[in-house]
Amino acid sequence: MKTRKNLHLAQQDIYYEQIMNPRSALYNIGGYITFKGKIDSTQFKKIIQNSPDEIDIFKIKFDFTGSGPLYYQKDKSGPIHIGELDFSKSTNPQKEAMDWMQNEFSIPFDIYQGELYRFTFIKVAEDRHILFGCFHHLIIDGFGFAVYSNYLIDRYKKNLVDASVPEITYPSYFDAAKRSIDYLESEQYKKDARYWKDKYHSIPDLVLSRKKQKKEKGSLFLTPIPEPDRASLNRLSDVTKTNISQLTVAALLIYFGKTKEQRVFSFGLPLHKRRGRDERKTVGMFSGVLPFKGEFNAEKLLSDLFSDIKKTQRDDFRHGLYPISHLNRSLKLLSKNRQQLFDIIVNYEPFTFPHQVSPDLSVRIKDLRSTTDLEVPLTVRWMDYGQNSPLELQIIYKESYFNAGEIKLLSKSLLFMLRQFENSLDIPIKDISIIPKEERLQLLEGFNDTKVDFPKDTTIVDLFRQRADSAPGAI
């Protein structure tokens, strides 16, 4: 009988969350690779089928029959099935392929039986093909999906295009899982537990409130970032030594600090939690969410706010292996009628890949997401596919908290604030505007034709909602 072992701590969190909602596709992860040009599809599929020889997540077998989740390693992986579809004769091949992939992506896995991955090779045109890949979060995270996609492209390039491409070895995920479990018995685990419990001895209120009692349906709003704005963000990052997640946290602190009767906020910041070079080359599930606790101080200079955010994140990262589920339990959140320390997540995901495999073959990689059973009401997510593709701002939201118009306005506010940052480093954050003057006047005049003051505890989004409810045809 194979030796059963405990799951990686990140896997354990996913397992317990999934069994609470077994029919949810929330923990599906993956995306698709678009090939433009001449591709040897037979050889590419062979690379996928040979993956288990180098990528050991395909050899994981789970055992959920006991009191806790366990796994063991299969000696040999079964054959990887790759489906095939041909939309090339359809009226709109690209749209039909995209619709099929999104529908397929929204089908939940049964974690108790069957494989936790699905592949399909799709023909869209003679010179355009798509590889669709969907995985359960138990075996891979977003960073791991990027590593695996690079693995497939590198192997194809080495085998068929350029044999001189350096050989890359991919470390075992089973070794990483053992290190994760060993961490539970370490002194570092105890230090991390004290750090987080001390940090959250006072728990900030949640920011958002449900506006409508309706089914928890989610939606995705996406806007490509114009190149001048992207260039401005890059310059700002270079000057301030910040990343785009930190800039977004600053914008949210200013926005909600100026519009809510609240000064201390908590946001969730996803982290891949890979420590060391080997883990950054490992395909598997490591990621978690770190709670960020920040304060709005109207008199603070914007540059000082950036410094505070960076220092807080550096300190948090030193204790970042500690699972948030352990913190939630130690704080007894459920007894406070809370499931999380935050209701807003901020994330930046770089998907920078080699776009040219050969002179006659280019690739483009994009991820997919399910909007069912969302964990939090609002996620602000940046997708970076490299300099050859637009930076994307994605806002994923629960419709019981926001409607599409409100999210569109919120995205405009965030971008408006970020545009100001480059030339506002030495001014107090109270002087950062949260919405363009002309739009603010338009909303205020539309909302209130009298001389009544703008309600202090009402956000621009609240005004938008009230305006939309009173005159839906005017928005």
Side-chain angles (χ1 to χ4, degrees):
M1 183 177 178
K2 295 288 184 182
T3 302
R4 268 60 172 167
K5 299 178 181 178
N6 289 312
L7 272 59
H8 191 291
L9 294 178
Q11 290 179 305
Q12 292 183 30
D13 281 354
I14 294 296
Y15 168 75
Y16 287 114
E17 289 169 12
Q18 181 71 84
I19 63 175
M20 295 294 290
N21 198 352
R23 297 187 179 183
S24 172
L26 176 61
Y27 298 107
N28 289 8
I29 194 164
Y32 58 96
I33 306 174
T34 299
F35 302 91
K36 186 177 181 181
K38 185 179 178 181
I39 182 172
D40 188 331
S41 58
T42 300
Q43 289 300 317
F44 202 92
K45 285 184 279 190
K46 281 185 179 179
I47 294 171
I48 297 173
Q49 290 164 340
N50 292 334
S51 295
D53 294 339
E54 299 180 88
I55 309 295
D56 57 13
I57 62 166
F58 295 105
K59 294 180 180 178
I60 292 178
K61 185 69 176 177
F62 293 104
D63 182 353
F64 301 139
T65 59
S67 58
L70 302 172
Y71 81 90
Y72 61 91
Q73 181 177 354
K74 294 184 288 185
D75 292 330
K76 187 176 181 181
S77 171
I80 294 179
H81 172 72
I82 305 171
E84 294 192 53
L85 291 172
D86 187 345
F87 290 108
S88 62
K89 302 294 191 294
S90 302
T91 305
N92 191 338
Q94 184 67 28
K95 182 179 185 305
E96 291 194 30
M98 291 300 302
D99 289 345
W100 180 87
M101 287 191 293
Q102 191 60 63
N103 289 334
E104 181 72 11
F105 192 83
S106 298
I107 298 173
F109 287 95
D110 182 347
I111 65 172
Y112 295 100
Q113 58 184 357
E115 302 294 353
L116 297 185
Y117 54 84
R118 298 192 284 263
F119 292 102
T120 302
F121 210 81
I122 304 169
K123 181 178 180 180
V124 179
E126 288 300 323
D127 65 345
R128 192 178 294 264
H129 295 77
I130 297 174
L131 173 66
F132 166 81
C134 181
F135 306 81
H136 195 282
H137 221 340
L138 273 169
I139 63 172
I140 204 167
D141 54 23
F143 192 97
F145 173 66
V147 173
Y148 182 64
S149 298
N150 263 325
Y151 159 80
L152 295 176
I153 294 169
D154 286 346
R155 286 294 180 267
Y156 182 85
K157 190 171 183 178
K158 184 174 181 64
N159 293 352
L160 278 81
V161 180
D162 182 2
S164 67
V165 171
E167 189 79 26
I168 301 174
T169 58
Y170 292 83
S172 169
Y173 180 65
F174 300 122
D175 294 341
K178 182 180 183 304
R179 288 193 296 272
S180 174
I181 297 303
D182 290 345
Y183 161 73
L184 284 176
E185 304 301 323
S186 69
E187 285 300 315
Q188 186 61 46
Y189 175 83
K190 297 175 184 176
K191 291 178 182 176
D192 295 344
R194 288 194 296 270
Y195 172 85
W196 287 106
K197 194 165 184 179
D198 290 346
K199 187 182 186 80
Y200 277 91
H201 71 278
S202 173
I203 302 175
D205 292 335
L206 296 177
V207 180
L208 306 174
S209 57
R210 183 180 299 184
K211 305 298 182 182
K212 298 178 181 178
Q213 297 297 325
K214 60 189 293 188
K215 187 177 179 181
E216 292 286 13
K217 184 180 177 182
S219 288
L220 167 67
F221 173 85
L222 184 153
T223 182
I225 303 303
E227 190 54 38
D229 286 341
R230 182 176 189 159
S232 174
L233 287 172
N234 289 339
R235 288 194 302 270
L236 181 61
S237 294
D238 289 342
V239 169
T240 61
K241 308 302 180 188
T242 55
N243 57 47
I244 198 167
S245 288
Q246 293 165 342
L247 296 175
T248 307
V249 166
L252 291 172
L253 281 173
I254 294 169
Y255 178 81
F256 289 113
K258 295 182 76 167
T259 58
K260 292 283 187 181
E261 290 289 343
Q262 189 171 335
R263 289 295 171 265
V264 181
F265 299 88
S266 187
F267 304 130
L269 304 181
L271 186 70
H272 64 67
K273 292 196 174 187
R274 286 164 162 81
R275 300 298 170 95
R277 183 178 301 175
D278 278 354
E279 290 193 350
R280 286 193 289 272
K281 294 190 298 182
T282 303
V283 179
M285 173 56 190
F286 294 79
S287 66
V289 181
L290 289 188
F292 172 89
K293 189 176 183 182
E295 182 177 359
F296 174 79
N297 179 345
E299 302 300 327
K300 187 181 290 291
L301 299 182
L302 180 62
S303 58
D304 291 338
L305 177 62
F306 290 160
S307 296
D308 289 350
I309 291 171
K310 288 189 293 182
K311 182 182 184 306
T312 296
Q313 281 203 287
R314 283 196 300 269
D315 292 343
D316 291 350
F317 182 79
R318 295 188 185 101
H319 304 277
L321 292 179
Y322 191 68
I324 194 169
S325 60
H326 293 209
L327 176 60
N328 291 346
R329 287 196 296 270
S330 72
L331 297 175
K332 299 181 173 58
L333 279 191
L334 286 178
S335 68
K336 300 176 175 66
N337 201 27
R338 294 267 295 267
Q339 293 195 357
Q340 275 294 5
L341 289 166
F342 46 81
D343 53 359
I344 299 172
I345 286 177
V346 178
N347 197 14
Y348 167 76
E349 297 188 44
F351 276 74
T352 53
F353 297 91
H355 290 269
Q356 204 67 36
V357 177
S358 69
D360 56 358
L361 179 63
S362 63
V363 298
R364 185 176 181 223
I365 302 176
K366 300 206 76 171
D367 81 320
L368 290 169
R369 288 286 163 150
S370 172
T371 57
T372 61
D373 307 303
L374 296 177
E375 184 179 8
V376 296
L378 184 67
T379 296
V380 179
R381 185 167 174 252
W382 298 90
M383 296 303 300
D384 186 350
Y385 297 103
Q387 289 300 318
N388 295 327
S389 299
L391 178 68
E392 291 180 359
L393 170 60
Q394 299 182 5
I395 300 184
I396 306 167
Y397 63 96
K398 290 184 179 181
E399 294 181 4
S400 55
Y401 287 74
F402 302 96
N403 63 40
E406 293 162 355
I407 290 299
K408 183 177 181 180
L409 189 64
L410 179 60
S411 73
K412 291 177 73 172
S413 294
L414 285 175
L415 292 174
F416 177 67
M417 285 188 283
L418 290 170
R419 290 186 191 109
Q420 295 173 72
F421 283 178
E422 187 175 12
N423 298 313
S424 304
L425 295 176
D426 295 324
I427 70 170
I429 59 178
K430 68 181 180 182
D431 294 331
I432 302 291
S433 300
I434 64 173
I435 197 167
K437 183 178 179 181
E438 60 273 16
E439 291 195 20
R440 181 181 179 90
L441 289 174
Q442 182 182 357
L443 280 173
L444 291 174
E445 289 168 1
F447 170 75
N448 187 2
D449 290 329
T450 70
K451 297 296 184 180
V452 177
D453 289 338
F454 174 53
K456 185 178 180 182
D457 60 350
T458 302
T459 68
I460 295 295
V461 171
D462 293 330
L463 279 183
F464 185 96
R465 177 180 291 113
Q466 294 176 48
R467 176 63 171 159
D469 289 344
S470 64
I475 301 299

